[in-house]
Structure formats: structure tokens, C-alpha cells
Amino acid sequence: MRTALITGITGQDGSHLAEFLLDRGYRVVGMTRRRSGGALDRIAAIREQIELVEGDLLDQTALTRTLERVQPEEIYNLAGLSFVPASWQQPVATGEFTALGVTRLLDAMRLVCPTARFYQASSSEMFGKVRESPQRETTPFYPRSPYAAAKAYAHYITVNYRESYGLYACSGILFNHEGPRRGLDFVTRKITHTAARIKLGLEDELRLGNLQAKRDWGYAGDYVRAMWLMLQQPQADDFVIGTGEAHSVAEFVEAVFAYLDLDWRRYVIIDPQLVRPAEVDLLVADASKARRILGWEPEVSFLELIHLMVDADLALVRNQLRTPRAEHRSARRRAVGVA
Ligand code: G4F
């Protein structure tokens, strides 16, 4: 039985990846920071099948002890802040977790389990103000947020540890990937969840920022398969993962409201406070290297993604309406984690 350690197991990707690895017979260990039980909702269904250990990307000693105890064969580093606007509020903390945290983990791996395989969650946000389209592994980075700058550092330190110490360390440059487990702050989930509430008469507006930004949106369940495939190759390498299709936020809104048989113009309000200090206008992947070497292709289309997210949010909101008042608040808190 192979052992996989996942940092960030309580997040959208961590929970999908844990399920994927359990299906393949792995011993799955999740590293979590000390915090309240509410944050474990996304992994509630598999809680008995996984182990959780406490660990912190800020604490070198704790990381070393965790690796000594777990002895993983595969390490998936999915931890860190993921909401881009928050990185302007906490630029230093973003650097500590998202950038230096990766050095700490890689260095602990180098000393404790140098034959393990390491996956770093890199991000298409690193391409930022894009130098070419579509973006591929060789496209230069131009980060546009503290988040993206920290991710670029983490990407390069992963490459550096591979080249300096011969570690099997890969970086997956993932474009936006979504689904019913996405947090409510991210634009796709904000749209599907608010639209479901509008449909059911609980809300009458949806406030958004820049509708013109274009993203390459895929389904998170497809993307964790790519992470695993990267760690099964004869040699460590870096891969761009995305669908190759770009859609604007406006197109996403239109498709969601059309599916619900609503006219989006009646509900959407542009709120300048939601516009970012520096925007990433267009991201679209050239994932041909992943297709060629990993045999990876996305299985869920743009419209299928929208439909599965809207269906899940309609079911969630209807369920909350049926939930007695006392339980309503905790159900709302669980909203981000319900599949
Ligand atoms: O959903 P978003 O917040 O995702 P963003 O910034 O693209 O980042 C996500 O994908 C990255 C991969 O490329 C990850 F690395 C990162 O961790 C995260 O998962 O925003 C998407 C777009 C932006 O252009 C934003 O300006 O939607 C635009 N937008 C317009 N109105 C909004 C809103 N975004 C949010 N979150 N909320 C709005 O009301």
C-alpha cells in the first residue's frame, strides 16, 4: 500500500484528491493546521478512511517530524491561501505560506524522505499579464498579485530542488478548476450559489466585479487525476493543465442564468469594490504536453460544469430551506463543503 501525504486536504482539491487516491488503494494522510472541526466538512464522507496529522508550513520542525512519522511515498502540496484578492490584504502571510512554506516542505523531504515524489500546486495566475496565448510550460511569468508572485517563487524553488538535489519534484500549473466544493468567494461558485438563491426567491441581486475577465475553467475532479499522473512518470517534470477554452465571467453568468431560465440583466450589479487592484485579463491553457505525455484530457465540458454546479447549489439551498431553523446556520457554514 502506497502512502500519500496531502497538505491542504480540507480544501476543494485536497478532498477530491483524497477520494481519488483512496479508490486506488492508497493510505491517505492529510496534514491540517490546528483549527475548529467545521473546516473538515469536505472530507466528512471519507473521514474514517484517512488519517489526519497536525502540521504547519510555517513550522520547519513540525514538518520534519510529520514526514518522519508518515514516511510518505508521494507528497501533494495543496496548502496555502487560494483566494487571490485576500493576498493584497495579507501579502506577507501569503509569502510565508505559499512561497517559503514550499521551501520548508521540500527541505524536510530532502532530509527525511528524499526518494518520495513531490507535487507542487502551481497556478496559471503566474502567467498574469500574459506574454503569449495560449499559455504553455515555457511561457514567461508576469505575476499580478502577491498570490501569483508567491506561487512563482514556489514554482521555481520546486524546479530548483529537482535540479539541485535530484528530487522527484513536479509542478502542476493548473488553470482555474471548479465544482460544487468550491468556496463561495470564487466567482463561479458565487454565481451558481447566488443564482440558485435568486431562483428560489431568497435573493434579488448578484454583485460582481470585472465581467470581462476570461478564464479557462475546468472541473476539479478532472484535475486531481492530472496531479496523480504527474507523480507516476519515469521522470519529474512540469505540466500545464487546462481545457484550452476561455470564457468571460459574463459568459459564465449568462449560461448559469439561462440554465435557470432567468434573465441575468435583471439581477447582476457591477460593484467597483470587487474590481482588483491589478487584473489578469485572459488565461487559456495549451495543455498539449500533458495530453501527449500524461495522456490527460478533461472529461467535463464548460456547460456540463455549469450544470453540475447549479444542480448542486439548487439542491443545497432547497435542503437548507427544509432544515429546521436551529440547524440552518451550521448548514450555511457547511455550504462550501457540500458535494
Ligand atoms: O474565481 P476567481 O476569484 O479566481 P482567480 O482569481 O482566477 O483564481 C483562481 O484560479 C487560479 C488559477 O488560475 C488559482 F490559482 C487561484 O487559487 C484561484 O483558484 O476570479 C476569477 C475572475 C477574476 O478575473 C475576477 O476579477 O473573476 C473576476 N470576478 C468578477 N467578479 C470576480 C468577481 N471574482 C470573484 N472572486 N468575485 C467577484 O465578485
Side-chain angles (χ1 to χ4, degrees):
M1 187 189 260
R2 292 179 72 73
T3 296
L5 177 70
I6 306 176
T7 76
I9 195 168
T10 55
Q12 168 187 258
D13 292 2
S15 64
H16 277 293
L17 179 65
E19 288 168 15
F20 179 90
L21 294 174
L22 285 172
D23 283 348
R24 272 154 193 78
Y26 278 71
R27 168 186 172 227
V28 175
V29 183
M31 193 179 93
T32 58
R33 302 181 74 206
R34 184 185 286 273
R35 55 167 141 171
S36 67
L40 301 181
D41 292 334
R42 290 188 182 91
I43 51 169
I46 53 166
R47 180 63 196 88
E48 299 306 313
Q49 295 154 261
I50 60 174
E51 294 166 45
L52 293 183
V53 291
E54 270 180 20
D56 198 322
L57 289 177
L58 299 184
D59 187 336
Q60 187 74 53
T61 311
L63 280 177
T64 304
R65 287 213 186 102
T66 301
L67 294 191
E68 281 169 353
R69 196 172 134 201
V70 176
Q71 291 295 330
E73 272 111 6
E74 296 177 10
I75 300 171
Y76 295 87
N77 182 37
L78 313 183
L81 170 145
S82 60
F83 187 49
V84 175
S87 73
W88 276 284
Q89 310 305 321
Q90 297 188 304
V92 177
T94 299
E96 283 290 349
F97 282 104
T98 305
L100 284 179
V102 182
T103 310
R104 293 187 189 99
L105 188 52
L106 279 165
D107 213 57
M109 171 174 150
R110 176 176 77 84
L111 296 172
V112 177
C113 47
T115 57
R117 298 186 163 206
F118 181 87
Y119 172 85
Q120 166 58 18
S122 283
S123 163
S124 56
E125 282 289 305
M126 301 185 303
F127 296 123
K129 193 169 177 177
V130 296
R131 309 283 86 189
E132 65 176 346
S133 273
Q135 295 84 48
R136 50 193 166 153
E137 291 77 7
T138 52
T139 303
F141 299 151
Y142 193 140
R144 295 273 281 169
S145 60
Y147 169 85
K151 281 287 186 189
Y153 170 92
H155 176 86
Y156 284 128
I157 202 70
T158 302
V159 174
N160 182 260
Y161 267 58
R162 180 170 73 219
E163 294 177 355
S164 303
Y165 302 111
L167 297 185
Y168 190 110
C170 300
S171 174
I173 307 175
L174 270 49
F175 283 61
N176 298 50
H177 44 287
E178 317 292 315
R181 299 181 194 181
R182 202 40 152 154
L184 292 169
D185 283 335
F186 296 89
V187 79
T188 56
R189 184 78 199 287
K190 181 175 177 182
I191 296 166
T192 59
H193 187 253
T194 310
R197 288 178 58 79
I198 290 172
K199 181 71 182 176
L200 298 175
L202 299 171
E203 206 97 61
D204 54 15
E205 64 176 41
L206 167 60
R207 303 186 85 84
L208 291 171
N210 178 12
L211 295 190
Q212 309 318 318
K214 289 190 168 174
R215 289 290 184 276
D216 178 332
W217 280 296
Y219 173 54
D222 283 340
Y223 287 45
V224 299
R225 187 161 29 87
M227 298 176 189
W228 176 76
L229 283 168
M230 282 179 221
L231 297 201
Q232 314 311 313
Q233 304 307 309
Q235 280 177 351
D237 205 348
D238 307 321
F239 293 91
V240 155
I241 301 295
T243 69
E245 259 183 53
H247 297 274
S248 66
V249 174
E251 282 166 49
F252 195 97
V253 170
E254 271 185 67
V256 167
F257 279 73
Y259 184 54
L260 289 167
D261 208 14
L262 296 169
D263 177 2
W264 68 275
R265 285 176 198 80
R266 288 184 52 196
Y267 305 99
V268 172
I269 293 171
I270 304 301
D271 183 343
Q273 295 209 22
L274 294 168
V275 175
R276 298 177 181 185
E279 179 61 283
V280 172
D281 296 320
L282 163 73
L283 291 175
V284 60
D286 173 355
S288 50
K289 180 176 168 187
R291 208 166 32 243
R292 197 175 65 251
I293 296 175
L294 305 178
W296 180 85
E297 300 234 24
E299 286 173 6
V300 176
S301 71
F302 178 67
L303 275 186
E304 284 167 348
L305 171 66
I306 286 178
H307 296 172
L308 83 87
M309 289 181 73
V310 173
D311 289 345
D313 272 323
L314 276 175
L316 175 74
V317 178
R318 283 200 180 104
N319 196 34
Q320 287 169 351
L321 285 173
R322 281 194 295 267
T323 310
R325 223 176 153 59
E327 291 171 33
H328 196 74
R329 250 194 309 274
S330 68
R332 255 187 79 75
R333 266 193 276 120
R334 280 200 303 273
V336 289
V338 176

